Structure formats: structure tokens, C-alpha cells
Amino acid sequence: MVEAREVIFSFIIMVLATASASWLMLVYLRIARRASLLFFSANLLFIVSCMLMAARFGRSGFLIWNLADIITLVGFSLFSLGVRTLYHQPLRLYHYGLLAMTVLLVYPVIPGQLSSAYWFALTFSVFSSALFYFIARDIVAANRKRVGLVRSLLLGWPFVLAIGLNGIRVITQLSNVRPVYFTHNDEIFGVSILWFFIAAAVFFNIALVGQVLWRMIQRIQYQADYDGLTDLLNYRAFQRQLALVDADAKRRAQDFSVLVIDLDNFKQINDSYGHLVGDEALKHCVQTMAMATRQQDCLARTGGEEFSLLMPDTNLASAHQVAERMRRLVEENPLRYQGKRVPLTVSIGVASRALSPLEHLIDCADNAMYDAKHGGKNQVCVARGRGAPALAAVKTEPAPADEPTRAAHPKRS
Ligand SMILES: Nc1nc2c(ncn2[C@@H]2O[C@H](COP(=O)(O)OP(=O)(O)OP(=O)(O)O)[C@@H](O)[C@H]2O)c(=O)[nH]1
């Protein structure tokens, strides 16, 4: 039977070596580099731990046994840290520090003799369960919002299963049914637990590769739909959103409106302060504009310094109010840069679906925005009518501070 164990141990080490090589390849390819490096290191530690465990069958030294357990726990900690790194979660190193301290306090207390096998196994089960719990919890926390609880649990299923199996093991051991697994003189359990190691090595690594792939897919999807600078939806995603809102509005016989918003004299900001300040100005402006929007509105970056706001269930008059409020907020919140005040203003065009067909809606708002530009900038213009939106665009004037919805003369900063 000892020979069978040796063969199985060699097989486990081969599996772990293959996993290590694969993670190293991902590090080399710069795919989730830091997380892959942590997963690679964890697999190396498992190889060391397996070698020690293989040695312990010959000599049954408890020091080696404990060392193998502790190295395995450090490997699981690296898995857990890798998952947190992958999902950009806070590392919270004190969690691992606390766990390490407890491990180092508990292991020396247990007497190093064969009858303690039960306690060593129990201790290892409890600590490894804590680490599996960290991993499963982090995977669920990172994905729950996007794919729901059940699917996010499925993403980390080997770790969830490991918590369950360890739980059963702890309960059976605490209820003193019999010391299961890891008994030196019990050949059957000795070999069966080795098969369990193989399954764990394979499934844990597959689950983690799955996390890396899943994360990459999420990132690609995000880059396809979002603007990297402002984190707003891009033009393509905005068009998709527009079609969805239009279908919904038709079904419910409701109106909706769009704003096309363009920063004024933005080239001048870039030329005077540089592109980095220009980028800051764009981000600052987005934050300010967002103050005028509601939860259901959809603000998108549809051009370099051009934005669009989609407002479901909003008629032209209400959209005009929002646009005016937005214009005023931007004007009143200049960018502060190195103690200087960088004034920002926007020109806004408003159009509503009730007055324009979908295929012309954005053009109508865009033309109204250009009317605002030609009218002197820092103002809101409303597009009316279907056929000739540019001609029908009606300029409205900014409201006074206490009356956000009514007109006054355009303000310039
Ligand atoms: N910093 C920065 N600049 C950008 C970005 N995208 C576009 N721009 C710049 O925005 C400027 C737009 O210039 P124009 O189209 O002349 O517009 P403007 O100066 O705002 O003039 P008006 O629209 O007439 O008020 C150009 O200089 C672009 O290089 C960006 O992501 N970051």
C-alpha cells in the first residue's frame, strides 16, 4: 500500500507542477499578473507540502507533519490573497496575520504523538475552512451584483464544497464517531484522502483559472461599453440603451427626452493647462452634471467633450428644466487647479421623443446644441418638431438662481 501512496503522491506533485507551470505562463503573458503569481506560489508550496507528507509516512515525524499542514495553510492563504488581488478587493492582511498567529499558537500546544492525529486533523480542517470561506466569500462579493448569489456561488464551487466537506469532517470528529482520514495506521483512509488531494488540486486550480477568465471577459465587456476616463457609457452602449428606452416608452405610451451636452471652449483649456488638466476638467464636469440627474437617467460620453443624457419618462418641459439646472451647476462649479479657478460651461440641446422620431432624436438634440453654441454658448436650446429640427430649435435662456426652470439671460464666466 505504501507503494500505491508513493505513486499517488507523485501523481499529485505532477498535477501541482502542471498547475504551477500554467500559472507561470499567465504571469509571463501578463494575464492577471499579480494574482497569477500568487496562485503560482501557492502551488509551489503545495508541492513542498506534498513532499513533506510523503516523507512523513516513512518516518511519521510530527514536526514534518505540522510543517506540511502549515505550509498548506500558507498556500491556501495565497489563493485567498490572489482572489482578492484579482477582484481589486482590499487585501486586509491582518486577517491572515491573525490566522497565522492562531495557527502558531495552537499547533505547538498539541502533543506530538500518534493519538494527537485526531486533533491535528481537526485543527487543519478548521483553519483551512476559514480560508476557503474567505475565498468563497470574496468570489461571491465580487460577482453577486452582476450574476446573482447562486451563479456566484457556482463560480467558486470547489471552495464552497470544501467548506461543506470540512464541516462534515469537523462534526464527525467533534462527535468522536471515529478519527477519520490521516490516520497513520489506516491504509484505506490514507489512500482515499490522497485521491481527495488530487481532486482538490485539480478543481481548485480550475476554479481559479475560471475566475481569471471570467474577470478578463468582464473587463473586455466593460471596455466595449464604457469610456475609460469618465466611466460613463460610450456612444455604442448609449445607442443600445436608447433603443431599449424607446421600446419601453412605446409599450407604456410614455414620452422620454435626450440632452446633448458639449463643453465650451474646451480646446482652450487643453491649450492653456495641458491635456492632463483637460482630462481632470472632463471628470469634474461629469461629476457636476451627475448632480442634476436621477437614478433612472443614463449619462454617456458620446464624443471627446460631448455627452448625452437619456431621460426616461420625461417630457420636453421637464428635460429643459434638468438641462438648465445642469448648465447652472457646471457654471457654478469651476475646476480648482493649483489654486486657480478653471471656469467650465456647457451648451445643451434638448429633444423629446414625442416631437421627434427615434432616428432623428439625437440629431435634433445635436442641432439644438449647435444653436446654443452659435447663440453664444453656456445656454440651453430646445428642439421642436420633426422635419426640420435645426430650424425649429428654440433658444431658451438660463434661469435665475431661485427659479431653476425659467429663463434669464445667458451667463458667461
Ligand atoms: N484632455 C482631453 N481633451 C480631449 C479629449 N477628447 C477630446 N479632446 C479635445 O477637445 C477639444 C475639442 O475642441 P473643439 O472641437 O474645437 O471644441 P471647443 O474648443 O470646446 O469649442 P466649442 O465646442 O466651439 O466650444 C480638442 O482640442 C480635443 O483634442 C480627452 O479625452 N481629453
Side-chain angles (χ1 to χ4, degrees):
M1 215 56 200
V2 171
E3 266 178 32
R5 276 190 182 129
E6 279 170 5
V7 170
I8 301 174
F9 260 117
S10 307
F11 187 64
I12 300 172
I13 290 171
M14 210 176 71
V15 169
L16 292 168
T18 310
S20 305
S22 309
W23 286 118
L24 200 59
M25 181 73 84
L26 293 191
V27 175
Y28 177 70
L29 294 174
R30 295 175 166 268
I31 296 173
R33 209 153 64 117
R34 275 186 299 168
S36 299
L37 191 62
L38 287 164
F39 297 148
F40 162 74
S41 313
N43 277 287
L44 280 192
L45 288 181
F46 296 146
I47 291 176
V48 174
S49 163
C50 272
M51 285 173 165
L52 291 176
M53 275 192 256
R56 104 185 171 203
F57 282 114
R59 290 183 270 136
S60 89
F62 278 88
L63 208 62
I64 295 179
W65 187 348
N66 289 353
L67 196 62
D69 278 2
I70 290 173
I71 290 176
T72 307
L73 289 174
V74 175
F76 290 152
S77 304
L78 293 184
F79 268 179
S80 170
L81 273 169
V83 169
R84 287 189 183 175
T85 308
L86 187 67
Y87 287 113
H88 298 292
Q89 288 161 330
L91 289 186
R92 297 207 182 93
L93 291 175
Y94 60 88
H95 280 179
Y96 305 97
L98 210 68
L99 209 68
M101 263 170 53
T102 325
V103 166
L104 292 176
L105 283 177
V106 169
Y107 269 92
V109 170
I110 306 172
Q113 58 202 30
L114 196 60
S115 56
S116 302
Y118 165 81
W119 289 107
F120 283 129
L122 187 67
T123 309
F124 181 80
S125 296
V126 170
F127 286 123
S128 55
S129 291
L131 288 163
F132 296 148
Y133 168 72
F134 284 172
I135 298 172
R137 188 201 55 186
D138 292 339
I139 292 173
V140 169
N143 295 293
R144 188 178 179 167
K145 237 180 167 172
R146 190 173 252 254
V147 296
L149 178 65
V150 176
R151 282 200 205 171
S152 53
L153 278 171
L154 282 177
L155 274 170
W157 71 267
F159 299 103
V160 177
L161 186 67
I163 298 171
L165 290 177
N166 268 348
I168 292 170
R169 190 172 161 198
V170 169
I171 291 166
T172 51
Q173 286 181 327
L174 281 181
S175 56
N176 225 346
V177 177
R178 58 168 296 170
V180 283
Y181 312 142
F182 285 123
T183 50
H184 286 255
N185 49 1
D186 190 332
E187 304 278 314
I188 299 162
F189 279 115
V191 170
S192 64
I193 195 65
L194 292 187
W195 284 111
F196 182 75
F197 279 4
I198 295 175
V202 171
F203 292 132
F204 285 168
N205 277 294
I206 287 179
L208 293 174
V209 170
Q211 300 301 310
V212 170
L213 286 179
W214 170 238
R215 188 86 183 112
M216 273 175 67
I217 292 168
Q218 278 181 312
R219 188 163 296 174
I220 291 166
Q221 280 176 345
Y222 186 85
Q223 283 168 355
D225 287 345
Y226 288 85
D227 164 53
L229 180 72
T230 58
D231 278 337
L232 292 179
L233 285 183
N234 61 21
Y235 179 77
R236 213 176 64 115
F238 180 77
Q239 290 293 333
R240 227 177 24 232
Q241 205 63 29
L242 184 66
L244 287 177
V245 169
D246 184 61
D248 184 55
K250 260 189 208 146
R251 212 183 48 243
R252 296 187 297 111
Q254 287 290 327
D255 195 6
F256 71 93
S257 299
V258 289
L259 307 185
V260 169
I261 309 144
D262 194 275
L263 250 77
D264 297 329
N265 309 317
F266 189 55
K267 188 172 180 315
Q268 209 171 307
I269 295 176
N270 271 336
D271 292 347
S272 313
Y273 300 95
H275 267 72
L276 285 181
V277 179
D279 286 354
E280 283 311 307
L282 282 172
K283 287 196 268 185
H284 178 78
C285 196
V286 166
Q287 280 172 6
T288 312
M289 290 192 298
M291 284 155 57
T293 64
R294 303 162 302 176
Q295 182 110 45
Q296 65 267 38
D297 296 341
C298 168
L299 185 60
R301 187 179 180 197
T302 41
E305 18 71 273
E306 186 178 291
F307 302 89
S308 300
L309 180 70
L310 179 58
M311 289 181 287
D313 299 332
T314 310
N315 61 23
L316 195 65
S318 308
H320 181 202
Q321 289 177 17
V322 174
E324 184 48 45
R325 180 155 180 257
M326 189 178 270
R327 185 206 64 75
R328 197 151 44 82
L329 278 169
V330 172
E331 186 183 28
E332 288 167 358
N333 287 280
L335 175 73
R336 307 265 168 203
Y337 170 70
Q338 291 186 343
K340 283 182 227 148
R341 196 173 164 277
V342 182
L344 299 170
T345 60
V346 286
S347 299
I348 305 180
V350 190
S352 85
R353 179 67 178 87
L355 296 176
S356 312
L358 183 65
E359 57 274 24
H360 295 312
L361 186 62
I362 298 296
D363 285 346
C364 287
D366 212 31
N367 289 333
M369 185 274 290
Y370 278 112
D371 283 350
K373 288 269 182 199
H374 296 142
K377 304 184 182 177
N378 188 23
Q379 56 191 268
V380 177
C381 281
V382 177
R384 288 193 307 197
R386 281 159 195 264
L391 292 176
V394 171
K395 182 179 146 188
T396 64
E397 297 167 328
D402 55 341
E403 281 181 73
T405 63
R406 262 197 278 124
H409 286 289
K411 292 177 200 162
R412 302 236 175 86
S413 37

